[in-house]
Each structure stands twice: as C-alpha cells, then as structure tokens.
Amino acid sequence: MGPKKFVFSFEEGDGKNKKLLGGKGANLCEMTQIGLPVPPGFVISTEACLAYLAKKRKGLPPQSW
C-alpha cells in the first residue's frame, strides 16, 4: 500500500465522506459533482490536519499529492 493521500480536488472528493474531508470540504465536493458553479479548488483531509497538529506545526510528513 502506498502513502496516504492528504489532498483531494473538489472533483475527486466524496461528498459523503465528511469524516475524511470535513463538513465544508465534503459539501464543496458534492456541490461540484452535482454541477453547481463552484470555483476550482481542493480539500486537505482531516488526517492531514491532525498529522500537522501532532507534529506541533513543524510541517506535514512527505506524501504524494
């Protein structure tokens, strides 16, 4: 198994996975997927945020984007 993915574009994120993407991120992904006019963007996973906080804000572990 490869490295965990921490960054998801709105097009590839799952609108139903609020645990992974957070509420706002999941909603933006869902709005994009149903065709609402949402500017291009990306979501950083909740795992990435927790990893960042666990490292005491020294940076994220290297991951593939």
Side-chain angles (χ1 to χ4, degrees):
M1 183 157 88
K4 290 184 180 183
K5 186 168 179 147
F6 282 170
V7 180
F8 298 86
S9 71
F10 290 160
E11 290 84 16
E12 67 182 334
D14 183 357
K16 294 179 176 83
N17 200 344
K18 292 184 180 179
K19 196 169 192 175
L20 174 66
L21 303 175
K24 290 178 186 175
N27 289 336
L28 285 165
C29 291
E30 188 169 352
M31 289 188 294
T32 298
Q33 292 172 6
I34 64 172
L36 292 175
V38 177
F42 61 91
V43 180
I44 298 172
S45 73
T46 55
E47 273 189 88
C49 293
L50 293 173
Y52 177 77
L53 293 173
K55 294 274 186 180
K56 298 188 181 180
R57 297 189 168 91
K58 292 182 182 175
L60 290 171
Q63 299 294 325
S64 67
W65 294 47

